[in-house]
Amino acid sequence: MFELDLRSRAPVYEQLVEKIKELIINNVLKPDQQLPAVRVLASELTINPNTIQKAYRALEQRGYIYSVPGRGSFVKPAVPGNNMARLRALETELVKTVSEMRYLGVPPQEIITRIKMQLSEDEGGKLDD
Amino acid sequence: MFELDLRSRAPVYEQLVEKIKELIINNVLKPDQQLPAVRVLASELTINPNTIQKAYRALEQRGYIYSVPGRGSFVKPAVPGNNMARLRALETELVKTVSEMRYLGVPPQEIITRIKMQLSEDEGGKLDD
DNA sequence: TAACTGTATTAATTTAATTAGTACAGTTAG
DNA sequence: CTAACTGTACTAATTAAATTAATACAGTTA
């Protein structure tokens, strides 16, 4: 289900968090869908169950999944306008990324174009001013 | 000159790299401007000179500064279209950030607007289609 | 020459991630 | 009811990385 880079400086549990978050955001894992059990995923990835639990706990704290003792862990349906702290962080991230692209010589026009392409893949929304 | 968070899980030298990179990108530190000497910055921040050197070495490897033994470390003038690997990483980052903003309920229009605002702060370029 | 620069090296310490092993309580299908 | 699953908790040992410490060397500069 996942691929890990054990040589990376990023902790395995953080890599897991990022991979799973990505699957949720891109709707590969659907709302209320059950995630692999801690022990199952651990044996699949040949790592310790404690590491999986640490990742799941982090995902729960960040609002991406919920866990029910005895039943399992599930994808938490997104509540629009809920995670304001995360939105602020993303805004900051966006500013930094765009600044660095400008610094590296990417024309503003191209940056806008790229983002519009990305947004139009999601849904056929109207993006023209 | 800098502020560090010793409680952060991010290594001090990586925090330094990010802060200095930001100052270079935002043109606070000008091209060929000299950076604080390793020992000077170390005593200012009350951390070990080796940690500063590690940060400077990383910045040099990533193409943001250059160091001359005996003379000092300096801001490396940007060469547009040079750092393609970094550009690809930024593109990926941008896609991820935008995806998550969409996931959290931000309308596409607003994302575009925010980025245009950010870009117009840099220079009075023409951004309208 | 004296005082500055970056750089290198080795050892000790500190901290975090990871593994290992075990245990407990809630859930569920047979 | 029971067996097999679930998440969760806890302690101890190990591993890996960051950081500090203490020197040392060579190039630069006033």
Side-chain angles (χ1 to χ4, degrees):
Chain A
M1 188 174 192
F2 308 110
E3 302 158 5
L4 296 180
D5 180 11
L6 297 179
R7 288 166 302 175
S8 167
R9 58 195 153 290
V12 171
Y13 82 94
E14 273 292 353
Q15 292 183 46
L16 265 175
V17 167
E18 289 308 310
K19 299 261 186 191
I20 296 176
K21 231 182 67 178
E22 211 171 308
L23 293 177
I24 294 175
I25 287 170
N26 297 329
N27 206 37
V28 176
L29 295 175
K30 317 291 183 184
D32 291 313
Q33 180 177 343
Q34 183 164 11
L35 297 172
V38 169
R39 294 169 182 81
V40 173
L41 189 52
S43 79
E44 275 183 14
L45 299 178
T46 337
I47 60 180
N48 197 280
N50 293 337
T51 305
I52 308 290
Q53 194 207 343
K54 191 169 184 179
Y56 279 12
R57 191 190 312 145
L59 281 165
E60 188 165 22
Q61 287 172 343
R62 300 178 197 184
Y64 291 93
I65 72 174
Y66 63 94
S67 296
V68 185
R71 295 208 41 228
S73 299
F74 308 87
V75 176
K76 185 170 179 178
V79 180
N82 196 22
N83 209 337
M84 298 308 281
R86 180 59 184 158
L87 265 180
R88 271 190 294 276
L90 286 173
E91 173 80 17
T92 301
E93 216 175 281
L94 192 62
V95 167
K96 281 183 63 175
T97 305
V98 168
S99 296
E100 189 166 354
M101 291 181 84
R102 285 291 301 119
Y103 173 77
L104 291 179
V106 181
Q109 287 287 1
E110 193 175 328
I111 298 179
I112 297 285
T113 304
R114 303 269 184 145
I115 294 172
K116 283 187 177 176
M117 281 178 46
Q118 169 62 16
L119 284 170
S120 61
E121 284 176 15
D122 193 22
E123 51 184 343
K126 314 168 192 71
L127 297 177
D128 301 317
D129 288 328
Chain B
M1 189 175 191
F2 308 111
E3 303 159 4
L4 296 179
D5 180 10
L6 296 179
R7 289 165 302 174
S8 168
R9 59 195 152 290
V12 170
Y13 83 93
E14 273 293 354
Q15 292 184 46
L16 264 175
V17 167
E18 289 308 311
K19 299 261 186 191
I20 295 175
K21 231 182 67 178
E22 212 172 307
L23 293 178
I24 293 175
I25 288 170
N26 296 329
N27 205 37
V28 176
L29 295 175
K30 317 290 184 186
D32 293 311
Q33 179 176 343
Q34 183 163 9
L35 297 172
V38 168
R39 295 169 180 81
V40 173
L41 188 52
S43 80
E44 274 183 15
L45 300 178
T46 338
I47 60 181
N48 197 281
N50 293 337
T51 304
I52 308 289
Q53 195 208 340
K54 192 170 184 179
Y56 278 13
R57 191 189 311 145
L59 281 165
E60 186 164 23
Q61 287 171 343
R62 301 180 197 181
Y64 291 93
I65 72 173
Y66 63 94
S67 294
V68 185
R71 297 208 42 230
S73 298
F74 308 86
V75 175
K76 185 171 178 177
V79 180
N82 196 23
N83 210 335
M84 298 309 279
R86 180 60 184 158
L87 264 181
R88 272 190 294 277
L90 286 172
E91 174 80 19
T92 302
E93 215 174 281
L94 192 62
V95 167
K96 282 183 61 177
T97 304
V98 168
S99 296
E100 189 166 353
M101 290 181 84
R102 287 290 300 119
Y103 172 77
L104 292 178
V106 181
Q109 287 287 2
E110 193 174 328
I111 297 179
I112 297 286
T113 303
R114 303 267 184 147
I115 294 172
K116 284 187 178 177
M117 280 178 46
Q118 169 62 16
L119 285 170
S120 61
E121 283 177 14
D122 193 23
E123 51 184 344
K126 314 168 191 71
L127 297 177
D128 301 317
D129 288 327

